[in-house]
Amino acid sequence: MIRLHTFGGIRVVDHRGDIVDGILAHRRPLALLAIVAVNGQHGVTRDKLLGLLWPEADDERARHSLTQALYAARRALNVDDLFLIEGSIRLNRERIWVDVTAFGGALESQNPEAALAMYSGPFLDGFRLSGAPEFDRWVTKQRAVLEDRAVSTL
């Protein structure tokens, strides 16, 4: 199973525990993974993704870029069914484990030790995406929410 770590930076680890370098070169597919991961089982609409990742592009070009980013993530991680697309876009939890989801699950099941063990630093620390100010604002908001949850757990 692939593991997506978003606390203290961003990295993707394969089933052997090795960092998947192929995805790291692709900033928008990484950002896409992070957005979809945070939205959990609710998923995220295509329009929301387009607004966050390609705010300046016309609709046709943005949709094509989204299709390419989905493909790039699947290919880099070698997981054809990484995404579940049924109106909204979600991650296939049978294929990828996500620290943000596990953090929230540990808090909901009242296991603060497990939750705090996953919180290894600010959400997407040091990760920026040029030309996507809405994404940067989204990251700042998510970072604050997750940090508040970790601090209140302490």
Side-chain angles (χ1 to χ4, degrees):
M1 178 175 282
I2 300 292
R3 298 174 67 90
L4 173 63
H5 297 270
T6 60
F7 289 124
I10 188 165
R11 68 187 189 287
V12 181
V13 179
D14 67 16
H15 66 281
R16 294 182 311 269
D18 297 329
I19 293 178
V20 180
D21 291 329
I23 189 77
L24 298 177
H26 304 285
R27 307 226 15 113
R28 293 216 194 270
L30 270 176
L32 170 67
L33 281 173
I35 295 165
V36 175
V38 166
N39 283 280
Q41 291 303 327
H42 299 294
V44 61
T45 66
R46 288 178 181 270
D47 288 339
K48 174 82 173 182
L49 289 168
L50 299 179
L52 289 172
L53 298 174
W54 297 278
E56 302 298 322
D58 65 73
D59 195 48
E60 183 178 333
R61 182 178 169 146
R63 288 188 182 282
H64 178 73
S65 295
L66 174 58
T67 300
Q68 292 300 107
L70 290 165
Y71 173 77
R74 287 183 192 115
R75 184 171 167 223
L77 300 178
N78 198 27
V79 180
D80 289 337
D81 59 347
L82 180 63
F83 299 99
L84 302 174
I85 303 173
E86 301 160 356
S88 63
I89 299 172
R90 299 179 289 127
L91 289 175
N92 183 346
R93 300 297 178 183
E94 294 178 11
R95 301 289 184 233
I96 188 165
W97 175 92
V98 180
D99 62 353
V100 171
T101 304
F103 174 78
L107 290 177
E108 287 172 18
S109 64
Q110 299 181 5
N111 188 347
E113 293 84 12
L116 292 174
M118 285 176 232
Y119 189 86
S120 59
F123 177 71
L124 296 184
D125 193 28
F127 184 82
R128 296 204 29 98
L129 200 59
S130 63
E134 289 300 320
F135 174 76
D136 290 337
R137 283 190 276 283
W138 177 84
V139 168
T140 300
K141 179 181 175 187
Q142 296 305 317
R143 186 176 293 146
V145 167
L146 293 164
E147 184 177 322
D148 286 348
R149 291 183 79 189
V151 168
S152 67
T153 300
L154 281 171

